[in-house]
């Protein structure tokens, strides 16, 4: 059984996603650079809230090797300020179209759980929808993504905004994740969503042990049928047990990134682009 899975996993290592008619191959892992337009994100809140600083940071990440810029207007850290869709749109402003104009080859991912914001982002030129809620926080999300035909990042998370960070998983965490993905993928396909990227949701409603088990068994998440995104950058399950701050765990994070790549991750969502590019190059040079 294990050998059969490994053969199937190897046979499906190479993926591509259709971003507005542009077929993007994921045979080489891609870096998704995080652009938080939030005053209250846990490690970089307030740094990029104005358009000029956001554009400068986007340029820095592109030059350092980010193939995707993930724009988020709302923090999802515990006790973060809650914005409605209109407030998110106002905070984003013209930034999507301006980054697209400046860096036409760079993919733009929009981090939102609102269908209305997806519609706005689509008109502005986004290439990917990154919904941390798995469609749970806006019942129109899957329908809207199906209409846009954009690739969709499906993240594992608890069913409500209020319970997002509660530790509710009592069964095996990878079993729980796969059950969740199985149902959500069927639902997405019913709405015509063709390109689905799976995000196990590191740091969302999981204990430290469950986060590490998910990493240890990452190759079994989704059973190699869809590309995997891993977002562990500056997460508390890494820095809190070490007694460090989010900005002091670059080395530890890169070791986990290397492990994730070994286990099949195709997109790494990160704050530290240059360091992650070195990790990807080390991984590719290793021949693993």
């Amino acid at each position: 059984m294990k050998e059969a899975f490994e053969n199937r996993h190897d046979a499906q290592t190479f993926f591509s996603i259709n971003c507005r008619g542009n077929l993007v191959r994921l045979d080489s892992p891609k870096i998704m650079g995080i652009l938080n337009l939030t005053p209250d994100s846990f490690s970089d809140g307030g740094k990029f809230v104005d358009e000029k600083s956001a554009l400068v940071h986007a340029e820095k990440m592109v030059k350092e090797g980010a193939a995707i810029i993930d724009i988020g207007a709302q923090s999802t850290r515990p006790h973060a300020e809650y914005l409605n869709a209109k407030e998110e749109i106002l905070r984003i402003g013209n930034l999507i179209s301006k980054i697209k104009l400046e860096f036409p080859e760079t993919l733009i991912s929009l981090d939102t759980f609102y269908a209305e914001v997806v519609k706005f982002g689509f008109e502005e030129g986004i290439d990917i929808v990154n919904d941390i809620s798995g469609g749970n926080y806006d019942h129109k999300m899957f329908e809207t993504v199906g209409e846009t035909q954009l690739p969709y990042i499906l993240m594992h998370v608890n069913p409500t905004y209020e319970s997002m960070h509660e530790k509710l998983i009592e069964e095996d965490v990878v079993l729980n994740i796969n059950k969740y993905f199985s149902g959500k993928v069927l639902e997405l396909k019913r709405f015509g969503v063709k390109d689905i990227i799976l995000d196990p949701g590191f740091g969302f409603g999981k204990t430290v042990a469950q986060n590490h088990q998910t990493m240890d068994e990452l190759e079994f998440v989704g059973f190699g049928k869809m590309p995997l995104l891993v977002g562990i950058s500056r997460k508390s399950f890494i820095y809190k047990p070490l007694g460090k701050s989010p900005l002091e765990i670059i080395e530890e994070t890169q070791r986990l990134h290397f492990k994730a790549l070994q286990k099949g991750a195709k997109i790494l969502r990160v704050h530290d682009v240059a360091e992650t590019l070195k990790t990807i190059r080390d991984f590719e040079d290793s021949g693993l």
Side-chain angles (χ1 to χ4, degrees):
M1 179 68 74
K2 182 180 179 183
E3 183 179 353
F5 167 73
E6 288 174 346
N7 290 339
R8 183 169 70 250
H9 182 66
D10 291 343
Q12 300 189 28
T13 299
F14 301 111
F15 299 98
S16 62
I17 53 174
N18 185 342
C19 297
R20 305 180 81 115
N22 176 27
L23 202 61
V24 178
R25 288 173 57 92
L26 300 178
D27 44 349
S28 178
K30 299 285 187 275
I31 297 173
M32 174 186 281
I34 299 168
L35 182 56
N36 285 324
L37 310 179
T38 52
D40 58 342
S41 288
F42 62 93
S43 70
D44 59 0
K47 286 189 175 182
F48 315 117
V49 291
D50 66 276
E51 188 178 275
K52 183 178 178 181
S53 62
L55 283 168
V56 168
H57 190 57
E59 180 180 20
K60 177 178 183 287
M61 291 193 290
V62 170
K63 287 182 175 178
E64 289 179 345
I68 309 166
I69 299 295
D70 189 46
I71 298 175
Q74 179 154 197
S75 173
T76 51
R77 68 168 179 79
H79 312 299
E81 177 189 9
Y82 179 82
L83 301 182
N84 62 36
K86 287 182 172 57
E87 289 169 327
E88 278 197 15
I89 290 169
L90 284 173
R91 189 172 279 182
I92 295 165
N94 298 317
L95 189 61
I96 294 166
S97 56
K98 289 194 174 183
I99 292 176
K100 266 297 181 188
L101 184 64
E102 191 74 23
F103 308 104
E105 300 302 313
T106 301
L107 301 175
I108 302 295
S109 168
L110 182 56
D111 183 351
T112 185
F113 46 75
Y114 291 119
E116 185 180 343
V117 181
V118 170
K119 290 177 182 178
F120 164 78
F122 181 69
E123 294 300 319
E124 290 288 297
I126 64 167
D127 303 283
I128 301 169
V129 177
N130 182 16
D131 172 19
I132 64 104
S133 83
N136 287 326
Y137 305 165
D138 186 336
H139 69 277
K140 294 183 178 179
M141 176 61 83
F142 286 4
E143 178 184 358
T144 300
V145 176
E147 290 169 356
T148 66
Q149 287 295 290
L150 293 175
Y152 177 80
I153 298 169
L154 170 63
M155 196 184 88
H156 176 269
V157 72
N158 288 332
T160 66
Y161 179 88
E162 292 73 20
S163 69
M164 186 192 308
H165 293 289
E166 292 181 18
K167 310 298 189 291
L168 302 178
I169 303 171
E170 296 182 354
E171 63 184 334
D172 181 272
V173 64
V174 175
L175 176 63
N176 183 281
I177 290 170
N178 279 332
K179 282 182 182 177
Y180 171 95
F181 282 153
S182 179
K184 291 287 185 180
V185 166
L186 285 175
E187 191 177 351
L188 280 162
K189 288 184 175 179
R190 282 198 294 269
F191 282 104
V193 181
K194 296 181 177 65
D195 292 301
I196 303 168
I197 299 160
L198 303 181
D199 177 353
F202 286 98
F204 285 85
K206 299 171 183 69
T207 66
V208 171
Q210 287 171 337
N211 280 299
H212 283 289
Q213 182 191 338
T214 303
M215 181 64 74
D216 289 341
E217 301 177 13
L218 190 64
E219 67 268 37
F220 298 108
V221 173
F223 297 103
K225 293 180 179 179
M226 280 162 273
L228 291 176
L229 179 148
V230 165
I232 59 170
S233 187
R234 302 182 184 176
K235 292 287 176 75
S236 65
F237 82 92
I238 305 174
Y239 68 80
K240 281 189 177 178
L242 298 172
K244 295 185 176 183
S245 79
L247 302 178
E248 295 175 322
I249 55 166
I250 291 176
E251 185 178 335
E252 293 88 349
T253 301
Q254 297 312 320
R255 282 201 295 266
L256 286 174
H257 278 158
F258 193 94
K259 186 174 185 177
L261 294 170
Q262 284 180 298
K263 292 178 173 292
K266 295 302 176 188
I267 302 173
L268 300 177
R269 182 180 182 273
V270 308
H271 296 86
D272 303 298
V273 175
E275 292 83 354
T276 305
L277 180 61
K278 182 180 183 303
T279 298
I280 289 175
R281 286 175 173 167
D282 288 345
F283 168 73
E284 292 178 330
D285 290 343
S286 73
L288 295 173

